[in-house]
Amino acid sequence: MCKNMQTEGSFAPWREEALKRGYASSLSLPLLSEGKAFGAVTIYSKQPDSFYTDEISLLVDLTAEMARGITSLRLHSQHTRDEQQLRLQLTVLQSAANAIVITGRDGAIEWVNPAFTKLTGYSTAEAIGKNPRVLKSGMHDKAFYKEMWTTILNGRVWHGEVVNKRKDGSLYTEEMTITPFSNQEGAITHFVAIKQDVTSRKQAEEALKKSSDELAGSNLELQQFAYVASHDLQEPLRAVAGYLSLVEERYRDKVDEQGRLHIAGAIQGAERMHALINDLLELSRVGTRANLIKPADMNIVLKTALDNLSHRINTSGAKVTHDALPMLNVDSNQMVLLFQNLISNAIKFQSDQPPQIHISAKSNAGQWEFSVRDNGIGIEPKHYERIFQIFQRLHTRKEYPGTGIGLAICKKIVERHGGRIWVESMPGKGSTFYFTIPDKEA
Ligand code: ADP
């Protein structure tokens, strides 16, 4: 009886079985490959001590032959597996969307994949043996290529953006990674370059940058225009208002009732224009003034706003309360203006109850969310967005005075700080204005 036993685990049951069947002796011979046992052959006999020396040497030879056969079969199947693995990897390289080029150490191209021929216009036959220099566009200086070669010749991976030239002369931009490949002795023998065509992305980025530059330029021009116009308009307006006051003072008795009404109307018009110009100036200042972002205690910011509004708060009987507010990196002057506008609206748009205003702040996902809540007349949901646009008011000037610029200023201030402003309200139920300020370590 002869059975190839590969492991100890499978050996024991066979021995027991053999003894049960009446076999009295056994001879185990190792199966060796390069001097290492990878299994054993055990021969059982019904006779005790039944193996002769010449039989044993024959069995040893036979086992050695068997071991060679098994080893060669194993190697063969390993080769087949390796070959299959290689073919699989080659298929991946061939079908990759990225262009792949393998060059020898001398720089000559040895292998390209179909994506390379598609990208460059060079067929495989045309590419093989050529130096990738044929793709040079002339858009990079010597230092650029020097840095690339120094990196890869030192065995490091190079990654960068390269403008290259196709066979038809057109230019394209690629993102390229070159990896040096070394033999077992550590000497670089090849370079593998993987390239991704980013031409359309680059073009889109450039177009976007151009139009955003243009937009930024015209925005700045508009802001400067608004600033200069409102600033320069103030002067003649002051003169008009001054002369009107003089006319009213000196000629009040010389004109009839109708005339006095006309003069009063003109004065009111001048005052309104003064308020409009002031608000417009404030709005354009938010955009043009340099960002003076500094750590500020928002409790002090709010206190300044309340001090500025003290007269209105006292005469209206408003009750203003607030929670503890955080320290934040902000333009504190603009924050004062923001609170001032929101609180003065909360007083202005009061209901028949005395105004009750509460300011609070809570930290939420890397930003602070502030709220200014009132018990005033409220706003219909359909106007939530509109009120933040310049000159958009929901009431006539007779009902509630104002220019319709205050909330546009608030929006601009909040957005300049990288935040958002919105309102939640119901007519008759009061309004809550919310704004967020990113929590940049104060
Ligand atoms: P103004 O106050 O000069 O009218 P704003 O831009 O500050 O301009 O406000 C725009 C409009 O939003 C106001 O005319 C008003 O209709 C509405 N509004 C603003 N704040 C409140 C508030 N707290 N309660 C009710 N309505 C408000």
Side-chain angles (χ1 to χ4, degrees):
M1 184 196 172
C2 170
K3 181 79 194 169
N4 176 7
M5 306 290 175
Q6 299 247 348
T7 64
E8 265 298 308
S10 61
F11 179 75
W14 271 98
R15 190 140 104 171
E16 274 170 30
E17 181 71 23
L19 288 172
K20 258 193 244 158
R21 289 193 193 173
Y23 292 103
S25 60
S26 70
L27 172 71
S28 278
L29 295 166
L31 286 165
L32 300 169
S33 168
E34 292 179 353
K36 273 193 198 145
F38 65 89
V41 173
T42 306
I43 296 135
Y44 293 93
S45 168
K46 292 204 169 169
Q47 307 295 320
D49 303 327
S50 62
F51 297 102
Y52 298 105
T53 320
D54 51 347
E55 264 181 358
I56 292 176
S57 83
L58 188 69
L59 286 169
V60 167
D61 286 352
L62 258 170
T63 312
E65 199 57 43
M66 218 154 108
R68 267 196 294 280
I70 295 170
T71 309
S72 113
L73 261 174
R74 276 178 159 188
L75 277 176
H76 178 72
S77 77
Q78 180 62 41
H79 278 157
T80 322
R81 256 179 290 150
D82 286 353
E83 200 182 295
Q84 226 168 341
Q85 193 68 23
L86 275 176
R87 276 198 297 130
L88 177 70
Q89 285 164 358
L90 187 67
T91 312
V92 173
L93 295 181
Q94 294 275 20
S95 52
N98 286 1
I100 304 172
V101 192
I102 301 178
T103 52
R105 202 198 147 90
D106 58 351
I109 296 178
E110 292 186 11
W111 188 87
V112 294
N113 72 343
F116 174 87
T117 60
K118 195 166 157 222
L119 174 66
T120 61
Y122 288 101
S123 69
T124 307
E126 285 170 327
I128 303 289
K130 284 212 171 67
N131 191 298
R133 220 178 279 133
V134 291
L135 302 172
K136 259 192 177 177
S137 62
M139 300 292 281
H140 304 284
D141 56 14
K142 271 193 182 148
F144 178 83
Y145 293 102
K146 195 171 166 223
E147 188 267 328
M148 178 194 283
W149 275 103
T150 314
T151 307
I152 57 176
L153 284 173
N154 279 316
R156 292 197 306 271
V157 174
W158 185 88
H159 182 83
E161 219 173 74
V162 188
V163 178
N164 269 344
K165 193 172 68 182
R166 294 189 184 85
K167 190 182 167 188
D168 66 9
S170 59
L171 298 185
Y172 64 96
T173 311
E174 62 186 18
E175 242 174 47
M176 177 158 67
T177 304
I178 312 179
T179 311
F181 178 84
S182 313
N183 61 15
Q184 279 181 336
E185 286 77 50
I188 296 171
T189 58
H190 292 86
F191 299 107
V192 180
I194 303 187
K195 304 140 162 278
Q196 191 187 1
D197 184 4
V198 292
T199 314
S200 24
R201 195 188 77 199
K202 283 255 80 133
Q203 282 166 350
E205 273 172 16
E206 266 155 35
L208 194 70
K209 187 172 179 314
K210 192 167 169 254
S211 57
S212 76
D213 283 354
E214 278 169 10
L215 199 68
S218 64
N219 254 350
L220 194 70
E221 253 171 51
L222 253 175
Q223 273 171 1
Q224 274 160 356
F225 170 76
Y227 180 79
V228 171
S230 37
H231 190 262
D232 289 1
L233 277 174
Q234 267 182 335
E235 203 39 53
L237 181 66
R238 232 173 261 136
V240 171
Y243 280 116
L244 278 173
S245 304
L246 268 181
V247 169
E248 194 201 26
E249 223 177 277
R250 290 203 191 153
Y251 303 96
R252 197 182 299 138
D253 303 333
K254 301 207 166 76
V255 290
D256 60 7
E257 186 56 26
Q258 196 65 29
R260 278 195 289 274
L261 275 179
H262 289 331
I263 294 170
I267 288 174
Q268 261 179 27
E271 278 167 356
R272 180 158 164 67
M273 200 184 254
H274 179 67
L276 266 170
I277 287 174
N278 267 350
D279 282 0
L280 271 177
L281 201 57
E282 205 58 70
L283 180 71
S284 65
R285 266 196 201 128
V286 175
T288 45
R289 218 185 266 153
N291 257 345
L292 296 167
I293 306 284
K294 277 199 307 235
D297 182 344
M298 293 297 276
N299 296 291
I300 296 175
V301 166
L302 177 64
K303 186 173 179 308
T304 314
L306 295 177
D307 286 349
N308 294 346
L309 291 171
S310 61
H311 178 69
R312 294 195 53 199
I313 293 173
N314 292 337
T315 50
S316 65
K319 202 164 167 277
V320 185
T321 52
H322 71 93
D323 295 342
L325 303 181
M327 283 289 285
L328 277 179
N329 255 322
V330 285
D331 179 327
S332 53
N333 286 334
Q334 290 189 352
M335 286 294 129
V336 169
L337 195 59
L338 173 64
F339 275 133
Q340 222 166 284
N341 280 346
L342 293 177
I343 296 166
S344 74
N345 274 352
I347 298 172
K348 179 162 62 175
F349 297 102
Q350 62 182 277
S351 59
D352 42 18
Q353 304 290 319
Q356 282 197 4
I357 303 158
H358 184 75
I359 297 109
S360 61
K362 61 173 185 200
S363 174
N364 186 9
Q367 54 186 8
W368 280 90
E369 185 182 288
F370 289 81
S371 60
V372 179
R373 189 181 69 224
D374 66 43
N375 60 341
I377 57 170
I379 302 162
E380 276 188 68
K382 64 175 178 192
H383 300 306
Y384 283 0
E385 302 276 327
R386 193 161 84 90
I387 53 169
F388 291 99
Q389 288 167 23
I390 189 165
F391 301 136
Q392 295 294 329
R393 314 192 66 239
L394 308 178
H395 309 276
T396 61
R397 277 203 316 278
K398 273 210 181 100
E399 289 172 292
Y400 297 98
T403 58
I405 301 175
L407 287 180
I409 294 179
C410 293
K411 186 169 189 281
K412 203 160 182 181
I413 291 175
V414 172
E415 286 177 355
R416 271 207 119 198
H417 283 79
R420 200 167 74 81
I421 186 167
W422 70 100
V423 65
E424 283 172 15
S425 174
M426 273 297 157
K429 297 244 157 32
S431 311
T432 306
F433 282 81
Y434 295 92
F435 65 88
T436 58
I437 301 289
D439 187 7
K440 292 184 214 135
E441 294 286 298

